[in-house]
Amino acid sequence: MSLNDNLQELIKISAPLWAGEAEVVRTFWDSPIRSLETDLLWLRRQCFKEFNGKGLGEHKDLGIFLGPLTEIIESFPKIDRDVSRHHVADLIETIQDEFTHYCLFADIYDAIRDENTPPLDPHALQIWDEDKYLTDMRIEQNHAHGEIGIRASHFTEGGYCTLFREGMRLKGRGGNDDLIAEACRVIYEDEFGHMLGGIVGLENEEMSAEDYALMTDLVVKQLRARIKMRNAEFSFPLSEERIEAIYNGDIEPEPFDFDKAADVMAAAH
Ligand SMILES: [Fe+2]
Ligand SMILES: [Fe+2]
């Protein structure tokens, strides 16, 4: 399998923005702003995304849990009539993956919180401004552009797994960092596949040059918004000026693992 020129171009344009998101997380780990309090804050926010994040084109915009769950229930009488069994299997896998991610981060939260901090209550979690901006953007694009919007939202899911890749690199530091590294290692494999959900099939498919131009435009808007979403999630380790510089390309692009992508996509066919 080889990726066509349009897809290679999309990846090339995305790579500096993926690197920007990685820089947010990597900077945070060793930043003076890092404390138990800021760790608990990002864990709460990440739990929110894994528990009830929205904007991936899920059923009726109901979020990562209730969207697929509702679709499964509604699909039951239509399985292998109007709805393929493989589609339903994919929905079940989505819930399984994302709820596991929620559990992994919630378990860390409860393991590291101090006695004055109550256990994690997912229903009390709240979105933050920069994440709401990204979510609203995705929902609007998904509705305005149909399949291309949804492909773009999937392709930017996890921002090429940056949080999870940078989290894995904490391995060996001991204590809370080892807990984070282990959770991120498990999630990394799932999220690599979720990102590719946006481009599986596009290597053979006839998508017009205009379609690619539109998808690229949507992806760039989302990836830019992701950097600000992550920066706020992690208590602003990067300055506004640094983010502007990243937007302008002043960064070493994140290398894309074409071999791993080829393996995952071949398995999906
Ligand atoms: Fe996830
Ligand atoms: Fe995911």
Side-chain angles (χ1 to χ4, degrees):
M1 188 215 70
S2 66
L3 299 179
N4 67 39
D5 291 350
N6 288 315
L7 266 178
Q8 302 228 22
E9 184 63 18
L10 179 65
I11 290 165
K12 196 171 141 202
I13 289 170
S14 301
L17 295 166
W18 289 329
E21 192 178 327
E23 184 175 312
V24 170
V25 180
R26 202 178 324 122
T27 305
F28 172 79
W29 297 142
D30 293 312
S31 149
I33 59 169
R34 190 174 178 205
S35 63
L36 178 62
E37 200 182 322
T38 55
D39 270 2
L40 292 174
L41 178 63
W42 79 257
L43 283 163
R44 272 199 304 278
R45 288 178 163 178
Q46 193 59 31
C47 283
F48 173 82
K49 290 177 76 71
E50 308 287 357
F51 184 74
N52 201 18
K54 295 182 168 71
L56 293 174
E58 74 284 349
H59 191 63
K60 296 179 179 170
D61 300 319
L62 283 169
I64 212 164
F65 186 89
L66 282 178
L69 187 63
T70 306
E71 190 179 349
I72 289 165
I73 292 169
E74 290 179 3
S75 296
F76 181 72
K78 305 179 202 156
I79 291 175
D80 286 342
R81 293 177 175 177
D82 297 328
V83 179
S84 98
R85 55 185 172 269
H86 298 292
H87 179 66
V88 176
D90 286 346
L91 295 172
I92 292 168
E93 189 183 329
T94 299
I95 297 183
Q96 161 78 36
D97 286 353
E98 299 301 348
F99 197 72
T100 302
H101 304 169
Y102 163 68
C103 292
L104 285 163
F105 284 123
D107 285 348
I108 297 175
Y109 185 90
D110 283 334
I112 74 173
R113 69 189 165 82
D114 55 15
E115 63 215 7
N116 301 319
T117 304
L120 192 90
D121 171 3
H123 305 287
L125 298 175
Q126 280 174 357
I127 201 165
W128 60 105
D129 289 349
E130 292 81 356
D131 193 39
K132 183 162 185 344
Y133 181 80
L134 171 68
T135 301
D136 290 349
M137 176 193 284
R138 280 172 157 166
I139 290 173
E140 190 193 317
Q141 291 179 355
N142 294 342
H143 287 286
H145 304 293
E147 198 201 344
I148 293 177
I150 290 168
R151 282 189 177 278
S153 293
H154 279 279
F155 182 68
T156 69
E157 187 187 343
Y160 190 41
C161 317
T162 43
L163 165 58
F164 313 113
R165 195 175 317 101
E166 295 305 322
M168 281 160 68
R169 291 184 178 146
L170 294 174
K171 188 176 177 202
R173 290 189 181 200
N176 297 352
D177 281 1
D178 275 346
L179 296 179
I180 296 167
E182 178 54 18
C184 288
R185 185 189 62 75
V186 176
I187 297 171
Y188 178 78
E189 292 298 324
D190 291 340
E191 288 301 339
F192 201 93
H194 294 183
M195 173 196 73
L196 293 178
I199 58 173
V200 167
L202 293 188
E203 71 277 18
N204 315 315
E205 225 168 75
E206 285 298 318
M207 208 163 99
S208 69
E210 289 90 68
D211 288 345
Y212 269 106
L214 172 61
M215 183 166 166
T216 304
D217 180 52
L218 301 180
V219 162
V220 166
K221 284 185 179 132
Q222 291 185 24
L223 290 179
R224 285 177 165 221
R226 285 191 62 87
I227 295 175
K228 292 196 172 174
M229 175 279 290
R230 269 304 176 230
N231 199 43
E233 181 179 16
F234 283 84
S235 303
F236 302 98
L238 300 189
S239 65
E240 277 294 318
E241 297 75 56
R242 179 59 195 142
I243 292 175
E244 275 306 313
I246 292 167
Y247 285 178
N248 293 324
D250 177 20
I251 191 164
E252 188 63 35
E254 183 77 31
F256 186 79
D257 190 340
F258 284 95
D259 291 340
K260 188 174 169 67
D263 289 348
V264 175
M265 286 164 79
H269 275 295

